[in-house]
Amino acid sequence: MSLRITTRPRLEKGERFDLVIVGGGPAGLSAAIYASRFLLKTVVLTVDIGGQLNLTNWVDDYPGFTRISASELVARFRDHAQSFGVRIIPGVEVKSILREGDMFRVLGTGGVDVYANAVIIAVGARRRKLGVPGEEEFQGRGVSYCSICDAPLFKGRKAVAVVGGGDSALEGASLLSSYVGKVYLIHRRREFRAKPVLVKEVLSRDNVELLLDTVVTEIVGDDHVKAVKVLNKATGESRILEVDGIFIEIGFEPATDFFKSIGLEVDEYGYIKVDEWMRTSIPGVFAAGDAINLWRGFRQVVTATATGAVAAYSAYQYLIEKGLYRSASSK
Ligand code: NAP
């Protein structure tokens, strides 16, 4: 199913909204669906539609769907929000949110400049990097951060490495084992934090070699990755693995600089501090999804959609309390 929006909805410069939602992943789109049910004039400004769901293949734990492709679930979220009249504007990176009188002015790439009475931040988190020599140099030339996106490019290759011990790495290792001759799964500890079902799947693959208690120390190559150097922390043994690529799947980190630039309070890990109603430190600004400090160890589509729904409800309540809610008949 295609996620391309052929006609981009119009957005007037200086246009006023009840609510601007920043981010179009599960949290932002769920917030949009709920906001539209509260009859809030809402726009979603987002870099892409789907967020981290675009980095996964299948979803088999979202209630109501035994198994659904991630792209179809995204399309359903998008269509659901649009069917209620929400405008979704992809390709926009929001750069700043300024308080101007009673309103928030939201500025983004592509000349986006709109006003809102309330804002929901649902920008997710960005990919974590290893920070080893060669990582930057070979990015896009054998260094990838998304097995789901790039695995087919490695079809028929001899070997690749996957780094990480979470769901992404284990899912990536399974997928890659169908495309390449050999997969080295490199994890810094002995225990995986991935779901047991994903670990079981990897263990069933004959062509996956586990390198536990092991870290990558360098990525080397010429015009393309040729090998990775690894160190077993338990034994002190170093090895050079000849590989055609390395998939770094070590999780995500928050866009702390952006949050701080808006003036939001963040926790010790850099995630937006919210209360149980998704209220941030700034009245009128709410947050949802992977950007918030709740449930950090358990990021799921269902938790993201839940916080998005709560954030939309809180924004609606805020607008009523402030006397900013215009009834449907006045819109
Ligand atoms: P994650 O759960 O945060 O796991 C990151 C992994 O990378 C951990 O094993 C961690 O090691 C390791 N790591 C972190 N920093 C590292 C570093 N500097 N060097 C080496 N290793 C490092 O991230 P994720 O796997 O991307 O998953 C993110 C969220 O998406 C999770 O909530 C996950 O459940 C969800 N997800 C779900 C699915 C699915 O259900 N099919 C698929 C993908 C993702 P430690 O274990 O030692 O901390």
Side-chain angles (χ1 to χ4, degrees):
M1 190 172 296
S2 168
L3 297 181
R4 203 157 52 89
I5 288 186
T6 41
T7 341
R8 183 169 143 152
R10 278 180 64 80
L11 194 63
E12 305 293 338
K13 188 172 162 56
E15 192 169 349
R16 290 172 173 243
F17 292 88
D18 295 316
L19 177 66
V20 167
I21 297 169
V22 185
L29 294 177
S30 166
I33 291 165
Y34 275 81
S36 66
R37 304 316 283 157
F38 296 128
L39 302 177
L40 303 181
K41 183 182 174 188
T42 302
V43 66
V44 178
L45 304 176
T46 184
V47 172
D48 64 7
I49 299 176
Q52 282 177 46
L53 265 184
N54 293 325
L55 308 177
T56 209
N57 240 347
W58 295 98
V59 177
D60 48 19
D61 49 14
Y62 192 73
F65 299 98
T66 315
R67 189 167 168 82
I68 184 169
S69 86
S71 60
E72 188 184 342
L73 187 57
V74 172
R76 284 176 183 246
F77 287 160
R78 177 202 64 194
D79 294 349
H80 194 164
Q82 286 181 328
S83 74
F84 291 154
V86 174
R87 264 185 281 171
I88 302 173
I89 316 283
V92 176
E93 187 179 352
V94 167
K95 292 293 189 185
S96 66
I97 299 172
L98 311 165
R99 183 98 220 186
E100 287 193 6
D102 271 354
M103 301 203 86
F104 296 98
R105 184 176 180 188
V106 182
L107 296 158
T109 53
V112 166
D113 183 356
V114 294
Y115 289 83
N117 285 316
V119 176
I120 294 175
I121 312 277
V123 295
R126 59 195 172 198
R127 292 186 167 281
R128 189 176 286 130
K129 301 207 166 178
L130 275 177
V132 296
E135 183 177 13
E136 291 289 330
E137 185 185 346
F138 292 108
Q139 196 169 322
R141 294 189 291 135
V143 171
S144 166
Y145 295 88
C146 181
S147 316
I148 301 290
C149 322
D150 296 341
L153 303 174
F154 287 77
K155 191 173 180 191
R157 298 295 180 92
K158 269 192 183 162
V160 294
V162 177
V163 190
D167 287 346
S168 301
L170 276 284
E171 200 177 61
S174 288
L175 178 70
L176 282 155
S177 69
S178 310
Y179 284 98
V180 301
K182 169 129 192 164
V183 176
Y184 297 99
L185 177 58
I186 303 163
H187 180 37
R188 65 184 178 184
R189 292 192 294 138
R190 295 204 73 73
E191 302 76 28
F192 290 110
R193 69 172 63 229
K195 294 185 186 88
V197 65
L198 297 176
V199 177
K200 194 175 163 196
E201 179 64 34
V202 165
L203 295 179
S204 74
R205 306 288 173 124
D206 291 339
N207 60 342
V208 178
E209 181 179 336
L210 304 185
L211 282 80
L212 303 178
D213 284 330
T214 299
V215 292
V216 174
T217 53
E218 190 177 350
I219 300 166
V220 291
D222 39 36
D223 58 333
H224 200 271
V225 169
K226 289 277 182 276
V228 295
K229 293 184 182 174
V230 296
L231 170 71
N232 184 312
K233 294 184 297 172
T235 64
E237 183 201 354
S238 294
R239 262 178 87 180
I240 298 179
L241 312 172
E242 287 186 17
V243 293
D244 302 292
I246 174 168
F247 290 81
I248 299 167
E249 300 270 17
I250 59 170
F252 297 82
E253 55 193 11
T256 309
D257 296 346
F258 173 61
F259 305 151
K260 284 186 173 170
S261 75
I262 304 169
L264 289 170
E265 265 181 42
V266 296
D267 73 357
E268 60 191 302
Y269 302 101
Y271 291 89
I272 302 170
K273 275 192 189 173
V274 291
D275 66 10
E276 75 271 30
W277 290 103
M278 306 304 137
R279 291 180 289 221
T280 70
S281 55
I282 303 177
V285 178
F286 305 84
D290 289 1
I292 65 174
N293 66 334
L294 297 185
W295 311 335
R296 266 192 306 102
F298 191 57
R299 303 298 204 191
Q300 302 295 307
V301 183
V302 73
T303 56
T305 54
T307 56
V310 173
Y313 176 72
S314 292
Y316 165 65
Q317 290 295 337
Y318 167 84
L319 295 175
I320 290 176
E321 281 161 22
K322 292 282 168 193
L324 298 168
Y325 182 72
R326 296 170 300 140
S327 67
S329 56
S330 66
K331 289 185 187 190

